Each structure stands twice: as structure tokens, then as C-alpha cells.
Amino acid sequence: MSDAVPRDLLAFDREHLWHPYTSMTAPAQVRAVVGASGARLWLSESGSPADAVNVVDGMSSWWSAIHGYRHPRLDQAVKDQVDRFSHVMFGGLTHSPAVTLGRALVELTPEGLDKVFLADSGSVAVEVALKMVLQHQRGVGRPERRRFLTVRGGYHGDTFHPMSVTDPDGGMHGMWRGVLPEHVFAPRPPAYDAGPAEVEAWATAFRAVADEHAHELAGIVVEPLLQGAGGMWPYPVACLQVMREVADELGMLLVFDEIATGFGRTGHLFVSELVRPDVLCLGKALTGGYLTLAAVVTTEAVGRGISASESGVLMHGPTFMGNPLACAVAVESLRVLTRTDWRATVARIGGRLATGLASLRDLPGVKDVRTIGAVGVVQLEQRVDVKAATDAAIAAGAWLRPFNDLVYAMPPYVCTDTEVDTIVAAIHAATRASLEATA
Ligand SMILES: *Cc1c(COP(=O)(O)O)cnc(C)c1O
């Protein structure tokens, strides 16, 4: 319960700090975190630890803190690296945290994904992945291949090129039409429980869009198996097989944005184990939620294509590339993950979410309840009343951050059964509170 945030700091925050996706002139309420440990946060509405409430974090700090907070081994990894050095440039220099992380990523990701670029955030990783694809196409003599094919309902980040492959309607970046490069959108894949006929119909539509634009398409970019911030939408693996086939037939590279799905969240360490992409983006849980870091992993063939382009090099190199603190904690996070039975953990959490949320399906105003891996989603008929839902969730003992028409959870893997049940109770409370507030 250290790190008290006095009242005047909350007032200063309100006056001067932008929070994600908020207004400067009419900011939404924020709560002060005055402590965090395991799967739990202490939240204070006044800023004083004295009235802080202890809640289970149902969001894993936007899907990143898979091992929870103040994990002894992750804490130690950062401290040890601080005592060596915190940062050095990566241009012309290297260090053991980056090399050890690179080795772990080459080993853990599917066969053939062997060439690693360390980026500073998920959005930057997507920028780099798209740049790799474009440079590869130039290198293999197809400079006219300059556009990307994606599906509706996706989300790939908030910088400009990732925004341009994020769903333009209903998504977060609709106002930028005319400013962003225009890419090609195929229909959203069908629901995860769709039958073969529905998948086939989608495949036909996807192929038609790809065929029409084949001459100008450099690659396909999608979130595999589960679309996250675009609507928490799981879809059949058969759709990924179709994308792989289409990419091969039409000379495109396939990019999987696993920034949200990576590291076990869907029940697979990486969805790329089911269908192999040419370029894989990782982020969010890479450092166990400790520091900002992302990675783009690709094949030898793509690397060769890039090297054959005009510049001969991959033209990207952020100031904080390969930050040693971030790499050191990522290495330890991967060790913690792979040396525990994360598969059983994800199944246990997912099973409890599925059982606990099932009864909400019959509640008037609820459109759908769906789960995949350690993700539980309740979709309402209307937009969620975020304030009513958040207040109710906290009163029920959990931190949730609903968006659009969704109340959902992606719990840290360290949640006990009781903590998962608290999250389930909070989703029930948030759903009911939102339905009452919007009735
Ligand atoms: C969060 C997210 C991003 C963006 O990552 P940042 O680190 O926020 O820039 C990109 N793609 C997907 C699928 C994400 O979930």
C-alpha cells in the first residue's frame, strides 16, 4: 500500500494528463492504483490509500500482466539488470538480455520463424511487419504490390499504418478516412461455432476480394483466431487455412498479429502453431506486462527478400530498440510461463468463465456470451454504460474495463479459482447494472 497518490495529484491528473481514448475537456473518472500484488489491485477514488479497495484485476492490465503484479522472479530480473545497465543503443552493440530473448523466441515460435526484430510497442511491431512485407515484395521484383488485405472487425494499433488496417467502421479510427492509406477489407470471418457451409461462404467471399485486388496486394494481415479490441470475436481456424492458401496462390505474405493472442491466451502458446504465417507480431504479454516491448519474427525467405530490396537493409531502428530491462524481464516471463503448466491454467480459468457466464445468455438485453482460452465475453444488445458497469464491477470485487457493447475479462494466469469466481460475479453485476442504466 505504498505509492500513495494524494488528492491534489488526482486533481492535477484530471487537469493535465490525457488517459487512453479520453477527452481533455470532459475527462472520465480515473481511480488511483495505490498498490498491486498477484492478481490484485488496490484502487482509491480519493487518491488516499486509507480508503483503497482491493479488487481482482480482470483485465491483466490490457492483457499483458499474465503473471500478475510484483511477481518475485520478474521483479528480481529487472533489479538484476538495473545493476548491470539499464539501456544501451542497439545500433552496433548487443547484449545478453536481447540475445537470450531472441533465442527463446526462435525456440518457442513455430519452425521456420527464426529472424527477430525487437520493437518498442505493439503498434510499432505492426508498422515494422508491414514494412517488412512491402520491402520483401520490392526485393522480389513486385514493387507494385503496395496494399494489404485484411478482414472487417480487426484492430492493429493506434499509429497510422496500423490504423489503416483496423476496421474503418465501428472501429476506433473511423474519422481518418481520406487521411489513411486505403487497404482492402474482406468480410469478418464467421463465428467460432460456424458450420462448414458458413465457413465455405466466407471463404468464397474472401477469395473474391483477394482475386480482384491480387495485382496490387503485398500481404494479408489479421489477428488469428480471436479479434480483440475490434470486438472480442473468436472465429474458426479453417478461415486461417483459407488465408494461408490464398496468400500462397496469389504471391502475398501472411502476417499474424498475435499481440493479443500470443503466450497462451487462446489455449495455444501461439495460434501460429495451427497455421504458420510468414510474419508474426508479438507484444502485450511478452514482458509479463512489466515494460513496453514487442517483437516481429519472420522467416529466412522474407529476410532474404528484404535484403534484395533497393536499400539492402531493413530500414527501421528505434532509439530504445532491444531495451535491456525489457528484454531481461521478457526472458524471465517466458521462463515462468513455459516452466508452469500454463495449458492447464488457461483451461481451468476458461472453464470457470464459461460455466459462470453461461446463465447470462438468457438475460434480456444480452446478445451473446462466448469464451475462448482464458477469455470470457458478454455482448449486450446496446453499448455498455461504462460508468455504471465499472462501479458495479468494483463493488463486486473486480476491475473490468468494458468497451462498446462488451463486458469481458482476460484474467491473469495467477488467478485462483476464487478470484476467477469474483471476476465472474463482477461481470454479472456489471452486465445487470449497465442494462438497468440503459433501460
Ligand atoms: C494492443 C494491440 C496492438 C497495439 O499494441 P500497443 O502496444 O498498444 O501499441 C496491436 N495489435 C493488437 C492485436 C493488439 O491487441
Side-chain angles (χ1 to χ4, degrees):
M1 302 280 282
S2 56
D3 294 331
V5 181
R7 192 181 294 272
D8 61 323
L9 287 198
L10 273 182
F12 189 92
D13 180 291
R14 193 172 171 79
E15 201 60 37
H16 296 285
L17 299 190
W18 249 297
H19 283 263
Y21 317 112
T22 55
S23 159
M24 173 66 6
T25 48
Q29 182 193 2
V30 294
R31 292 167 169 86
V33 177
V34 295
S37 177
R40 292 172 174 274
L41 301 171
W42 278 266
L43 303 182
S44 167
E45 278 189 44
S46 72
S48 161
D51 59 13
V53 293
N54 184 224
V55 293
V56 182
D57 178 11
M59 309 310 297
S60 302
S61 277
W62 269 339
W63 327 344
S64 63
I66 51 174
H67 307 303
Y69 303 96
R70 294 186 57 202
H71 191 285
R73 287 180 48 187
L74 274 61
D75 283 8
Q76 196 59 47
V78 178
K79 288 174 185 165
D80 289 349
Q81 187 56 40
V82 166
D83 286 340
R84 293 187 200 106
F85 50 90
S86 295
H87 183 68
V88 293
M89 65 191 283
F90 210 51
L93 302 175
T94 194
H95 44 79
S96 132
V99 175
T100 312
L101 176 60
R103 191 187 300 256
L105 290 175
V106 168
E107 273 169 19
L108 289 175
T109 57
E111 184 80 39
L113 292 168
D114 290 339
K115 308 290 176 187
V116 180
F117 187 99
L118 297 171
D120 11 13
S121 73
S123 299
V124 173
V126 173
E127 300 275 10
V128 170
L130 300 183
K131 189 185 277 189
M132 282 180 177
V133 172
L134 294 173
Q135 254 191 272
H136 170 86
Q137 293 290 14
R138 299 182 79 84
V140 299
R142 293 189 290 230
E144 72 287 359
R145 302 284 196 121
R146 291 200 303 232
R147 296 180 82 191
F148 288 91
L149 172 61
T150 185
V151 290
R152 296 235 161 224
Y155 172 81
H156 297 284
D158 293 348
T159 60
F160 273 75
H161 229 105
M163 283 202 293
S164 72
V165 286
T166 290
D167 194 314
D169 306 315
M172 300 161 75
H173 305 310
M175 68 185 280
W176 295 109
R177 213 181 282 269
V179 176
L180 295 174
E182 284 181 23
H183 294 297
V184 179
F185 288 83
R188 163 175 258 180
Y192 60 101
D193 53 359
E198 249 183 292
V199 172
E200 201 41 53
W202 173 85
T204 305
F206 184 84
R207 281 178 194 282
V209 176
D211 284 335
E212 187 193 335
H213 293 276
H215 60 286
E216 53 176 349
L217 288 174
I220 300 173
V221 51
V222 291
E223 298 155 276
L225 208 59
L226 171 67
Q227 293 181 314
M232 308 305 291
W233 183 256
Y235 62 89
V237 66
C239 299
L240 301 177
Q241 279 143 3
V242 171
M243 292 175 197
R244 180 71 270 177
E245 284 166 27
V246 169
D248 291 342
E249 284 162 20
L250 302 180
M252 292 187 261
L253 294 183
L254 181 60
V255 180
F256 280 175
D257 175 352
E258 292 221 49
I259 290 164
T261 55
F263 308 106
R265 183 56 71 178
T266 66
H268 310 279
L269 190 57
F270 305 107
V271 178
S272 304
E273 290 168 354
L274 307 179
V275 172
R276 206 198 72 178
D278 302 296
V279 183
L280 165 62
C281 299
L282 299 171
K284 289 203 161 96
L286 175 59
T287 62
Y290 268 55
L291 284 158
T292 177
L293 184 71
V296 189
V297 193
T298 190
T299 62
E300 165 103 34
V302 172
R304 282 185 189 284
I306 292 167
S307 296
S309 68
E310 307 93 305
S311 65
V313 299
L314 179 59
M315 285 306 284
H316 213 97
T319 306
F320 289 100
M321 184 165 178
N323 174 260
L325 292 175
C327 290
V329 74
V331 166
E332 196 59 27
S333 175
L334 290 176
R335 281 194 191 124
V336 170
L337 183 67
T338 54
R339 288 175 195 179
T340 53
D341 193 356
W342 60 266
R343 240 174 248 282
T345 302
V346 167
R348 168 180 65 83
I349 294 172
R352 280 190 106 77
L353 288 173
T355 314
L357 298 179
S359 64
L360 281 172
R361 222 171 250 127
D362 304 323
L363 197 65
V366 171
K367 189 171 175 185
D368 188 30
V369 175
R370 46 186 183 260
T371 52
I372 178 175
V375 184
V377 185
V378 178
Q379 183 176 18
L380 308 189
E381 306 273 7
Q382 292 183 43
R383 286 185 81 84
V384 177
D385 183 315
V386 173
K387 177 164 169 42
T390 306
D391 290 350
I394 289 175
W399 169 244
L400 300 177
R401 185 80 182 151
F403 70 98
N404 292 348
D405 51 355
L406 304 170
V407 182
Y408 77 101
M410 284 207 186
Y413 300 167
V414 293
C415 274
T416 63
D417 285 349
T418 314
E419 286 169 334
V420 178
D421 293 346
T422 302
I423 291 171
V424 166
I427 294 177
H428 276 259
T431 300
R432 286 172 198 279
S434 178
L435 291 174
E436 274 164 32
T438 54

